[in-house]
Amino acid sequence: MSRALKLCCLAMASFLAVLAAVVISLSLTVFKPKQPEITAHPFGLENLQFNLPANDSSSNVTIGMLVTIENPNYSGFEYQNSAAQINYRGIIVGEVPIERRMIPARSKVNITSTANLIMDKLIAAPGFIGDFLAGHLEMVSAARLPGKVVVLKIVRFPATVNNTCRININIESHSANSKCITRIKY
């Protein structure tokens, strides 16, 4: 083998080793996946009225939802149509449709949706009357968003985002606050 060919092979091997080290170090630091932050903000509670005893308990109530998703990653996330379930004391009392969307890398996106509460299930739940009279309701929403992580608009691999939000509704002030926990699985 000629000396020039040996030097070329050595230079190529050195280049590939440096490139591999750079890719590994970037994937473990800068490109390391971070958990997205999702916050649910119910609005339209000023029109929410509960009449006890309920005259028509088969009615549904719709509450507007503003969902803020902050993606701190250097990769985007594209998810499919899904729905979040709203639980009150372990009973499913509503659903929030979540439409398919692409969340770009390192961005913050606001999504509006509606929460459809089934009033007969909510009112029939054990403890509802006590919570209502105390002036607050605590609900939990859970969503599973299957989708794909998109890196540089070229590489795509499957991932699922699981989100759980605790939503506290203050009946007297017609306000609500939420605290969400989000986990992404690759």
Side-chain angles (χ1 to χ4, degrees), residues 109-147:
V109 176
N110 290 322
I111 301 170
T112 56
S113 189
T114 56
N116 302 311
L117 298 179
I118 304 166
M119 291 308 295
D120 58 343
K121 287 186 175 183
L122 182 62
I123 292 171
F128 173 77
I129 302 294
D131 289 347
F132 177 80
L133 294 175
H136 74 284
L137 300 174
E138 184 176 316
M139 298 183 187
V140 176
S141 71
R144 183 177 178 274
L145 302 173

Side-chain angles (χ1 to χ4, degrees), residues 15-82:
F15 173 75
L16 289 176
V18 169
L19 182 63
V22 168
V23 168
I24 289 171
S25 66
L26 284 175
S27 67
L28 294 175
T29 56
V30 174
F31 294 118
K32 181 180 179 183
K34 298 169 188 75
Q35 300 298 333
E37 292 185 26
I38 300 177
T39 310
H41 309 280
F43 63 88
L45 295 175
E46 60 275 357
N47 299 325
L48 184 62
Q49 294 180 2
F50 293 104
N51 296 319
L52 295 177
N55 296 331
D56 182 17
S57 63
S58 64
S59 64
N60 294 347
V61 172
T62 302
I63 299 174
M65 299 287 288
L66 174 65
V67 179
T68 302
I69 302 173
E70 187 172 350
N71 182 6
N73 294 301
Y74 285 92
S75 57
F77 181 68
E78 182 178 8
Y79 60 87
Q80 305 301 318
N81 287 340
S82 188

